[in-house]
């Protein structure tokens, strides 16, 4: 997800996307612990996406 896409989301959409990405990250980490996943970079990308979403959420909350 690009930063320009993230900036267009509302606060509720940001929270929903954070929850979805967190669940996705948990699945990746669990699968990777059992047996190495095909593309371990997915874990890093998902973590960074969550950070971008949380940062934008914080910016929007402070702007209120």
């Amino acid at each position: 997800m690009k930063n320009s896409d993230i900036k267009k989301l509302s606060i509720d959409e940001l929270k929903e996307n954070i929850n979805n990405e967190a669940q996705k990250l948990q699945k990746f980490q669990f699968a990777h612990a059992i047996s190495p996943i095909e593309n371990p970079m997915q874990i890093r990308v998902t973590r960074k996406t969550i950070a971008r979403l949380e940062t934008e959420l914080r910016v929007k909350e402070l702007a209120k």
Side-chain angles (χ1 to χ4, degrees):
M1 190 174 248
K2 294 184 178 183
N3 282 338
S4 59
D5 296 336
I6 291 173
K7 290 181 188 292
K8 294 177 185 175
L9 298 175
S10 69
I11 291 177
D12 292 332
E13 291 172 328
L14 285 169
K15 288 180 181 179
E16 183 180 325
N17 282 344
I18 291 170
N19 287 336
N20 292 339
E21 291 293 322
Q23 289 175 355
K24 191 165 116 177
L25 177 63
Q26 189 175 18
K27 288 179 185 176
F28 282 145
Q29 289 174 332
F30 186 68
H32 190 62
I34 293 173
S35 64
I37 58 177
E38 187 174 311
N39 186 2
M41 288 297 292
Q42 291 173 327
I43 295 172
R44 184 183 299 175
V45 170
T46 305
R47 275 199 332 254
K48 288 186 178 196
T49 302
I50 292 170
R52 285 187 193 102
L53 290 166
E54 288 177 342
T55 300
E56 188 60 31
L57 178 63
R58 183 72 177 139
V59 166
K60 289 187 182 216
E61 287 176 345
L62 289 177
K64 278 189 171 181

